[in-house]
């Protein structure tokens, strides 16, 4: 099974606009996203405490006293971990995305069929 880094490359999301992809990926699977956010929070706190801070103290001892550069480094690390979480969740949820996409297509087909049936009943 291939691993995708961009939503545009996934066959399950092909043909959707960027906004529709974002809504489907971030707004549909709330439970999974909440659990992954808890893991992200633990990863951020643990990695900053036990990886980032010791590395900064070893290679740039004065960086933690310069609050701006330290904040930039921590924000860059946070955004990297968030991107990594989104990529992993996108690939883990591929089967669920395929099912949700099929449901969306079926709902759109049903709505179009109902519209045609209503137009036929009204004599149009």
């Amino acid at each position: 099974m291939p691993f995708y880094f961009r939503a545009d490359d996934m066959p399950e999301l092909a043909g959707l606009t960027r906004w529709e992809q974002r809504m489907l990926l971030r707004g549909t699977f709330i439970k999974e996203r909440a659990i992954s956010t808890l893991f992200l929070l633990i990863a951020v706190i643990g990695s900053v405490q036990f990886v980032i801070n010791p590395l900064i103290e070893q290679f740039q001892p004065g960086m933690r006293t310069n609050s701006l550069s330290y904040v930039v480094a921590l924000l860059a690390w946070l955004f990297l971990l968030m991107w990594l979480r989104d990529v992993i969740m996108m690939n883990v949820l591929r089967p669920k995305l395929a099912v949700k996409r099929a449901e969306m297509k079926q709902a759109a087909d049903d709505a179009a069929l109902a519209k045609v049936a209503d137009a036929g009943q009204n004599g149009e």
Side-chain angles (χ1 to χ4, degrees):
M1 180 160 119
F3 190 84
Y4 297 100
F5 289 98
R6 295 182 60 228
D8 294 336
D9 298 335
M10 287 182 61
E12 290 83 2
L13 298 175
L16 294 177
T17 65
R18 197 86 161 127
W19 180 255
E20 291 169 334
Q21 288 175 355
R22 177 173 281 160
M23 287 295 101
L24 188 60
L25 287 171
R26 294 190 176 147
T28 305
F29 307 104
I30 302 298
K31 180 180 77 171
E32 290 86 351
R33 189 142 177 97
I35 291 170
S36 69
T37 301
L38 288 176
F39 282 118
L40 176 68
L41 178 64
I42 292 168
V44 167
I45 291 171
S47 65
V48 166
Q49 182 67 30
F50 299 110
V51 176
I52 301 297
N53 283 342
L55 286 174
I56 288 175
E57 287 301 318
Q58 183 178 1
F59 295 111
Q60 293 288 331
M63 185 176 180
R64 287 181 64 190
T65 58
N66 181 358
S67 60
L68 183 60
S69 61
Y70 184 61
V71 167
V72 168
L74 291 182
L75 284 175
W77 181 246
L78 173 66
F79 290 143
L80 176 71
L81 289 178
M82 286 174 59
W83 173 80
L84 185 63
R85 185 260 324 245
D86 288 345
V87 167
I88 290 170
M89 289 304 296
M90 179 177 65
N91 285 282
V92 167
L93 293 174
R94 279 184 67 198
K96 287 186 177 184
L97 286 169
V99 169
K100 187 67 175 176
R101 202 50 211 279
E103 289 174 1
M104 289 170 57
K105 184 177 181 337
Q106 182 64 37
D109 291 345
D110 290 346
L113 186 61
K115 187 175 181 179
V116 168
D118 286 343
Q121 287 178 354
N122 293 336
E124 294 177 7

